[in-house]
Amino acid sequence: QRLYFMRFNYFVPKQYQEFVKTCKQVCDFGEIGTFCFFPKSDAGRRIDQLIQDYSIGYPVVLLELTPQHFEEPEEIRGLESRFSGVGMIRGEYLLRKTGKYITLPEVRDELRAYLCKMAGMFYPRDVWYRTIEFPSNWISALEGADVQMHEEHFMMATRGIRRSLMYPDTFMAELAVVVGVSKEYDNLHVLLPFVTNPGEVREAKRMLKSLAFTNKVGMMVETPAAALTLESFCEEGVDCLTAGSNDLTSFALASSR
């Protein structure tokens, strides 16, 4: 399996290099890499510096390109060649931009166009789409929300794969868009968020299989439950593990973000 770390370009390079070397020594992963954010200005020089500072022989994967990046195409033209792929397209960013939920046909159309553009731009390098990971309170504020739900503690609430499986019709509508694009671009894969038990991965894979999805399936490692039982998840055949340091640190240390 592969293991990628998020947000470590906030570390100074020496700290990050030591961290990755330690992980490589104690973990038998086939590949370790890091994500970096896409800089908004002076892009070419800053990207080259990021890769030089943080790659240390391992892949540097673009964390994401948001829909807003495509509004300034001169900022991204030609820069995709510097990366090993796209580690995460966050489904919820499109919802935030439109103010609408995935239940609406126009949102699914926009998601389809976005995924086609991303997968085509980076082809044949891997592009990972993370399914929607919005707290239910935020979803309730969107046009087209399937269920109105208000929860006090959003970090421990009905979110990520937990919510997706609770409302399978909505989840299937989202997956159908991704699967449709994946039939044209075999480099587009699915990343499952906020996973806590292997049964969630198993059910999501079953739903994807029912749509004839044949590409890769990965998962976020952002809860202690997932981090402490990784072997059981690997037995489910996940292809990629992405360590989400924000939630994982908060839950492990009982500390707010």
Side-chain angles (χ1 to χ4, degrees):
Q1 278 81 17
R2 300 174 177 180
L3 176 66
Y4 287 96
F5 297 101
M6 291 179 63
R7 299 181 182 273
F8 281 102
N9 51 310
Y10 290 122
F11 280 33
V12 299
K14 186 175 181 181
Q15 288 177 325
Y16 176 73
Q17 292 169 10
E18 291 302 319
F19 176 82
V20 172
K21 288 176 182 177
T22 301
C23 288
K24 191 66 174 175
Q25 289 169 1
V26 301
C27 302
D28 185 23
F29 287 99
E31 182 177 290
I32 290 181
T34 184
F35 290 169
C36 75
F37 286 101
F38 192 91
K40 286 291 289 181
S41 61
D42 199 12
R45 185 186 64 80
R46 292 184 63 198
I47 286 177
D48 287 339
Q49 188 63 50
L50 281 170
I51 292 176
Q52 178 180 332
D53 288 345
Y54 293 99
S55 66
I56 58 172
Y58 302 127
V60 175
V61 179
L62 184 63
L63 175 59
E64 64 193 2
L65 284 176
T66 67
Q68 288 81 355
H69 280 118
F70 289 114
E71 296 170 4
E72 303 176 26
E74 70 279 359
E75 286 285 327
I76 63 174
R77 187 176 292 115
L79 297 178
E80 67 274 11
S81 62
R82 292 166 162 87
F83 295 98
S84 301
V86 178
M88 188 187 306
I89 297 174
R90 303 190 213 194
E92 62 273 14
Y93 272 35
L94 185 63
L95 308 184
R96 183 183 298 171
K97 176 176 180 285
T98 62
K100 300 177 181 181
Y101 197 39
I102 196 69
T103 51
L104 299 178
E106 62 266 31
V107 177
R108 297 197 296 274
D109 289 343
E110 190 163 346
L111 175 61
R112 185 178 297 106
Y114 180 44
L115 293 178
C116 284
K117 191 164 190 176
M118 289 287 289
M121 176 184 293
F122 284 87
Y123 194 84
R125 289 158 288 172
D126 287 346
V127 172
W128 291 87
Y129 171 77
R130 188 178 76 174
T131 56
I132 294 169
E133 219 289 67
F134 252 174
S136 287
N137 293 15
W138 298 0
I139 291 176
S140 296
L142 298 173
E143 181 183 341
D146 51 357
V147 177
Q148 292 291 321
M149 187 184 302
H150 300 278
E151 300 174 295
E152 184 177 356
H153 302 291
F154 83 90
M155 284 192 63
M156 297 176 285
T158 309
R159 50 183 281 213
I161 192 64
R162 182 182 297 170
R163 191 185 198 284
S164 295
L165 295 179
M166 187 177 293
Y167 303 107
D169 289 345
T170 302
F171 192 37
M172 285 291 278
E174 178 186 9
L175 293 180
V177 174
V178 182
V179 172
V181 177
S182 75
K183 294 184 185 303
E184 182 177 354
Y185 296 101
D186 59 8
N187 61 326
L188 179 63
H189 314 297
V190 171
L191 191 64
L192 304 174
F194 208 65
V195 175
T196 58
N197 70 79
E200 294 168 333
V201 173
R202 192 178 310 125
E203 178 61 13
K205 291 186 71 174
R206 184 197 67 77
M207 296 172 73
L208 284 164
K209 185 177 180 180
S210 73
L211 295 170
F213 183 72
T214 58
N215 294 358
K216 301 174 187 177
V217 178
M219 59 171 275
M220 298 291 297
V221 182
E222 52 190 342
T223 66
L228 294 172
T229 57
L230 280 181
E231 288 186 1
S232 61
F233 288 99
C234 292
E235 290 171 0
E236 296 296 330
V238 294
D239 299 294
C240 180
L241 303 173
T242 297
S245 56
N246 274 346
D247 281 344
L248 187 57
T249 301
S250 294
F251 286 126
L253 300 180
S255 170
S256 170
R257 287 188 178 195

